[in-house]
Amino acid sequence: MPKGGVANRAIKALNVLPGQHKLGKGKRFKFLTFQDLINRVDVSRDVYRDTTTKLQLAPADGAESFFQQYLAEWSELDLTADFKTFANEVYPLSQSLAQLLHYRKRVVRSLLGQLRQPRCTCSLALLDLVAHLARDLRDEFWPFFPDAVRAITLVLDAPPADEGPTADAELFAAAFRALAFLFKYLLRQLLGEPSAVLPLYRPLLGHEREHVRNFAAESLAFLVRKIAQRQSQPEDDEGGQLNSTMRAMFAFCTPPEPEPENAEGAEATEGDGPWEALQGGVAATLFESVKGVGNRLHSNAEQMLSLLFEHIQPPPPEAQDPASAAALQCRRAVVKDVLHRLCQHVRAETAERVWDALHAEVEAAASSWHEIGGEPEEQRLELSVQALAEWSRARLARTRVRRDDKQDAEGDGKEEEAGQRPQKKKRKLLKPTTV
């Protein structure tokens, strides 16, 4: 993010969505803050749900691979010295698809090596070529997947661009669009080994910048949704692949238990470190996995919510490896954050499935407590009722806010019809600067 408060100032920028070539609604140029530019980026729409452009099924005439086609296009668009050096190195190695497969190690080494360079001036072009190279190589790109994710992570940690917030927003959009395309083209390999991507995504989910965590969650949620669709094929007796993936996500966002001799010092610094940010990133991933379009929920919402409620249940006394108090507290904090995000997303007409999931969990906990009894079942019932009560209060507050906004809008409309000038609320004006 730009330093010196630049992110809080508005700059005059072209009213174009980052990474796209079409104008947004309204004026051609608008004063936009860095946060406004970031909010316009939608990784899922651009990669998975974009219906405005026709899908290119084969390379253009004169090219045998997508990498060759877009290398030629970027050679005309990017005239920086860094890209010229890279293009001169890989151009003789990518004249055909067979040649690209043969020299794939050299091409990937050159591409990722240039991308790792500090202050690289051609990052946008290289990020786009990473996605097209993965589309050409497919299975042959899988061994390079970890190195590609690490290289893209380094781009996100680079210092702010000298060109200003607009260039930074375009860079973030290009980086996560490249990650999303890697997930799309390597989906079969990732579904067979989802544990390979979670450690690589940990720095992104626990990043200090909130928009980086949100973009990482949005791209990783695509994989989680695909895993949920294969839940009918369990991998072990404890549950399916989705359950294992969820356990792994909860595991790497749980702080380690302090040693006895350092217990007092650990209590003093409990809120420090990246753990809160990492828990927020995991919660955002789970929320994006459940979220649908148009304030609706995904088709796997009931399945995901049911698994989430299972992970916050107290362990039975006879369990050989019961979850620690810190782990349970972490899981409950993540689930609470997921419900809060869902409350902000859904509307009254689309919240029925969340209500049904909460009621089903309360009924299951009550039935288990009546049949089995014991302290764990009592704690489960208490947690379920508490979650339902918090959701009810949040939905009631949300409904009141929307009702007040609607009444204010209706009041302004009546004043306009009566010929009176509506009273506008005072808003904090942003000081515009030009670039």
Side-chain angles (χ1 to χ4, degrees):
M1 181 179 297
K3 298 181 181 179
V6 178
N8 297 325
R9 299 203 308 266
I11 64 169
K12 193 171 185 179
L14 186 64
N15 188 17
V16 177
L17 303 181
Q20 300 187 13
H21 303 284
K22 54 185 179 182
L23 291 174
K25 296 181 179 179
K27 299 180 180 179
R28 183 177 181 84
F29 289 91
K30 295 184 66 176
F31 286 100
L32 302 173
T33 63
F34 177 78
Q35 191 61 41
D36 293 334
L37 295 171
I38 288 296
N39 291 337
R40 290 179 166 217
V41 180
D42 189 343
V43 177
S44 298
R45 177 198 61 201
D46 298 342
V47 178
Y48 311 120
R49 303 196 304 266
D50 188 7
T51 58
T52 59
T53 58
K54 186 177 180 180
L55 179 63
Q56 185 179 359
L57 301 178
D61 295 339
E64 294 191 16
S65 65
F66 291 101
F67 182 82
Q68 181 186 8
Q69 173 187 343
Y70 287 95
L71 178 63
E73 291 185 6
W74 278 110
S75 298
E76 298 180 358
L77 297 175
D78 195 327
L79 303 180
T80 60
D82 290 342
F83 189 79
K84 287 182 179 179
T85 302
F86 165 75
N88 293 334
E89 185 176 352
V90 302
Y91 183 78
L93 309 177
S94 56
Q95 294 301 298
S96 65
L97 181 59
Q99 193 178 28
L100 184 63
L101 289 171
H102 181 73
Y103 293 109
R104 60 185 181 277
K105 293 183 180 180
R106 293 176 57 182
V107 173
V108 172
R109 189 187 309 116
S110 177
L111 178 59
L112 300 184
Q114 185 67 41
L115 195 59
R116 295 190 190 99
Q117 294 296 326
R119 293 288 184 177
C120 180
T121 57
C122 57
S123 298
L124 292 178
L126 297 178
L127 290 169
D128 186 52
L129 291 175
V130 167
H132 293 299
L133 183 60
R135 184 177 186 181
D136 287 327
L137 298 182
R138 300 287 177 151
D139 294 352
E140 301 296 336
F141 192 85
W142 175 244
F144 311 110
F145 176 77
D147 294 334
V149 175
R150 295 189 187 99
I152 296 175
T153 304
L154 291 178
V155 174
L156 296 172
D157 292 332
D162 297 333
E163 292 80 1
T166 304
D168 290 330
E170 291 178 354
L171 183 62
F172 285 126
F176 282 102
R177 195 173 293 112
L179 287 173
F181 274 119
L182 290 181
F183 280 18
K184 182 177 182 179
Y185 298 140
L186 302 176
L187 179 61
R188 185 172 61 84
Q189 292 81 3
L190 289 170
L191 289 178
E193 194 177 353
S195 59
V197 71
L198 293 180
L200 299 173
Y201 251 64
R202 180 172 178 170
L204 298 177
L205 293 177
H207 203 277
E208 59 181 2
R209 305 174 187 177
E210 184 180 2
H211 56 272
V212 174
R213 298 196 299 268
N214 292 336
F215 285 153
E218 191 174 347
S219 58
L220 184 59
F222 170 75
L223 178 62
V224 178
R225 287 193 295 266
K226 292 298 181 179
I227 293 175
Q229 296 177 2
R230 302 180 58 183
Q231 182 64 28
S232 59
Q233 302 176 0
E235 64 177 1
D236 51 32
D237 296 337
E238 297 180 359
Q241 201 174 38
L242 177 62
N243 198 8
S244 301
T245 303
M246 199 174 293
R247 284 200 305 266
M249 295 176 64
F250 281 126
F252 73 67
C253 74
T254 302
E257 295 185 2
E259 298 180 0
E261 59 270 15
N262 300 329
E264 297 181 359
E267 292 177 359
T269 60
E270 183 179 357
D272 300 336
W275 299 108
E276 293 184 359
L278 194 55
Q279 292 170 9
V282 172
T285 303
L286 296 173
F287 163 69
E288 292 289 342
S289 305
V290 178
K291 184 184 77 171
V293 297
N295 300 114
R296 294 188 292 269
L297 299 178
H298 197 266
S299 58
N300 63 359
E302 292 86 353
Q303 180 184 13
M304 292 285 296
L305 291 175
S306 177
L307 276 178
L308 285 177
F309 295 145
E310 289 182 8
H311 281 280
I312 63 174
Q313 296 175 9
E318 65 275 6
Q320 297 180 357
D321 187 17
S324 63
L328 274 179
Q329 184 179 2
C330 168
R331 296 180 181 185
R332 291 165 184 170
V334 170
V335 174
K336 183 177 180 180
D337 192 358
V338 173
L339 291 177
H340 174 73
R341 293 169 185 265
L342 283 174
C343 182
Q344 301 297 321
H345 172 69
V346 298
R347 297 292 181 264
E349 58 274 10
T350 59
E352 182 179 359
R353 297 168 65 187
V354 183
W355 284 107
D356 293 342
L358 287 168
H359 288 153
E361 173 61 20
V362 172
E363 292 176 359
S367 177
S368 179
W369 180 64
H370 283 295
E371 295 178 0
I372 303 176
E375 184 177 356
E377 305 300 329
E378 183 179 355
Q379 292 180 2
R380 177 188 175 185
L381 179 59
E382 181 180 354
L383 287 172
S384 303
V385 174
Q386 183 180 359
L388 180 59
E390 291 179 355
W391 171 264
S392 302
R393 288 193 295 267
R395 285 304 306 164
L396 180 60
R398 181 71 175 172
T399 303
R400 289 174 177 173
V401 171
R402 290 182 57 82
R403 183 183 58 191
D404 294 342
D405 293 343
K406 184 177 180 180
Q407 291 177 354
D408 293 342
E410 292 177 353
D412 293 343
K414 292 180 180 179
E415 291 179 359
E416 291 180 355
E417 293 178 358
Q420 300 178 3
R421 187 174 182 179
Q423 298 292 331
K424 295 184 179 180
K425 297 181 180 179
K426 294 183 178 180
R427 295 182 179 179
K428 185 178 179 181
L429 298 179
L430 298 174
K431 183 179 179 181
T433 60
T434 59
V435 287

